[in-house]
Amino acid sequence: MFVLEKFLDEEELQQVMEIYSTHILIKLNEKNMLNIIHYLIQNKIIYWRDILISYLDLFLIDSMEFISKFELLRKNYGIEFMGENLNILEKLAN
């Protein structure tokens, strides 16, 4: 939870708590999450907070795998399209 508290405000944390079960939250690895968040920020993915809130379960994926799959989606769809259609991120779970 420390990572979430570091990057999200109180309202956003409340959203996460309403969306995700404790079971998912316990499984999150802080180092893995930080790697993914830093990748998104460094690559100027302006909707990284939306990903963190709405697709937190994707942060269970190993960061290297996440980044590799995200780069493929980025190449195929473009950043702007992905930002407008976050549901495309569900392909990362496959």
Side-chain angles (χ1 to χ4, degrees):
M1 281 296 286
F2 170 73
V3 173
L4 294 175
E5 292 169 349
K6 181 177 178 183
F7 290 99
L8 301 177
D9 64 28
E10 195 172 313
E11 185 178 316
E12 292 166 331
L13 279 171
Q14 186 62 35
Q15 281 181 278
V16 167
M17 300 304 285
E18 290 172 5
I19 296 171
Y20 297 98
S21 69
T22 309
H23 177 70
I24 296 289
L25 297 173
I26 290 172
K27 285 185 170 183
L28 293 169
N29 176 294
E30 289 187 10
K31 183 178 180 194
N32 192 63
M33 288 182 69
L34 285 171
N35 288 341
I36 294 171
I37 292 167
H38 286 273
Y39 161 79
L40 295 171
I41 292 170
Q42 287 177 345
N43 285 276
K44 299 178 178 30
I45 309 300
I46 59 173
Y47 45 89
W48 67 269
R49 291 169 81 94
D50 296 324
I51 295 172
L52 188 56
I53 295 166
S54 300
Y55 292 92
L56 184 65
D57 53 329
L58 294 177
F59 287 77
L60 293 172
I61 299 170
D62 177 73
S63 61
M64 295 305 290
E65 182 181 349
F66 178 98
I67 291 167
S68 176
K69 288 181 174 183
F70 191 91
E71 282 295 319
L72 187 58
L73 287 177
R74 186 176 173 174
K75 184 184 292 185
N76 290 336
Y77 296 101
I79 292 299
E80 288 180 22
F81 179 82
M82 290 172 61
E84 295 169 3
N85 301 282
L86 285 179
N87 61 337
I88 200 86
L89 295 174
E90 293 172 13
K91 292 180 181 255
L92 290 173
N94 298 330

